[in-house]
Amino acid sequence: MASTPLERQLASDSTPRRPTALDAFALARSDFLAGDRIDIGSIAQRLGVNRVTLYRWVGTREQLIIEVVWWLTERTLDQGWQTVESTPGPRVPALLGHLLHAIWDQPGSRRSIERDNAMYMTLLTVASHGFQPRMLAYVRAKLAADLETGRIHTTLDLDDLSYTVLRVAESFHYMPTIIGEPADPDRAVRVLTAILGPNPA
């Protein structure tokens, strides 16, 4: 008789596994990265479940999109932080630049954001949708780390600074919707560096 979890899983490997919410999430993430629209009907069909079941698992289509984008965003930010963590001066501009470049340099992600830029701007910048508070908290934590290590100086309250920094980055990310021009991660980095600046000697 199988005794370890691995042995039990190997023994039951031939038994078809029922799809779960995580399978729906994985398909949605793959669609986003392929540049395809995240479509509830398509995902339900591929999983062999009905729409009612899928909605019960993931909530609305918008909620599923937000979870996919946040999962990708958080991991990209974590990777970027490892890259900039030991660098001198303010690290948040380069961190956000890393995120924006990652979004626009990945072909499928780029197609998704270009096609539905206005939708993503609404979903990801309005607090009630759930993405914005998480993003703001992440940026706030990294700004706090830069303040504590003397990499930046400011007369602003940390909450005000965090909101301002994130809004500046977003304004260059959503330029296609706001002013009809291509997104410009490098300009975002330059402006944020000028705003934060190194701590004067």
Side-chain angles (χ1 to χ4, degrees), residues 24-38:
F25 173 84
L27 284 178
R29 183 180 59 204
S30 295
D31 288 344
F32 177 82
L33 291 174
D36 299 328
R37 278 192 171 91
I38 294 175

Side-chain angles (χ1 to χ4, degrees), residues 78-87 98:
D78 287 346
Q79 292 168 359
W81 188 251
Q82 291 178 1
T83 301
V84 305
E85 191 170 10
S86 62
T87 59
H98 171 85

Side-chain angles (χ1 to χ4, degrees), residues 147-164:
L147 284 166
E148 290 169 4
T149 54
R151 285 177 163 84
I152 61 175
H153 71 285
T154 182
T155 59
L156 291 175
D157 173 83
L158 181 57
D159 288 332
D160 291 340
L161 181 64
S162 303
Y163 178 83
T164 301

Side-chain angles (χ1 to χ4, degrees), residues 19-89:
T20 69
L22 289 177
D23 296 310
F25 173 84
L27 284 178
R29 183 180 59 204
S30 295
D31 288 344
F32 177 82
L33 291 174
D36 299 328
R37 278 192 171 91
I38 294 175
D39 180 82
I40 291 293
S42 171
I43 293 172
Q45 184 178 32
R46 282 178 282 167
L47 290 177
V49 300
N50 60 48
R51 285 171 174 261
V52 174
T53 297
L54 188 55
Y55 280 123
R56 188 173 68 248
W57 286 350
V58 305
T60 65
R61 173 177 179 265
E62 288 73 21
Q63 286 175 293
L64 178 57
I65 290 172
I66 286 166
E67 292 307 320
V68 166
V69 175
W70 175 248
W71 190 94
L72 293 167
T73 297
E74 186 176 32
R75 280 152 185 77
T76 302
L77 286 169
D78 287 346
Q79 292 168 359
W81 188 251
Q82 291 178 1
T83 301
V84 305
E85 191 170 10
S86 62
T87 59

Side-chain angles (χ1 to χ4, degrees), residues 72-130:
L72 293 167
T73 297
E74 186 176 32
R75 280 152 185 77
T76 302
L77 286 169
D78 287 346
Q79 292 168 359
W81 188 251
Q82 291 178 1
T83 301
V84 305
E85 191 170 10
S86 62
T87 59
R91 298 170 290 185
V92 172
L95 174 65
L96 293 177
H98 171 85
L99 173 65
L100 298 185
H101 272 294
I103 293 170
W104 290 101
D105 291 347
Q106 204 279 339
S109 172
R110 184 186 186 100
R111 284 196 299 274
S112 294
I113 300 295
E114 282 181 334
R115 184 185 57 240
D116 297 311
N117 195 261
M119 180 200 73
Y120 280 104
M121 184 175 74
T122 300
L123 284 182
L124 306 185
T125 63
V126 176
S128 60
H129 291 300

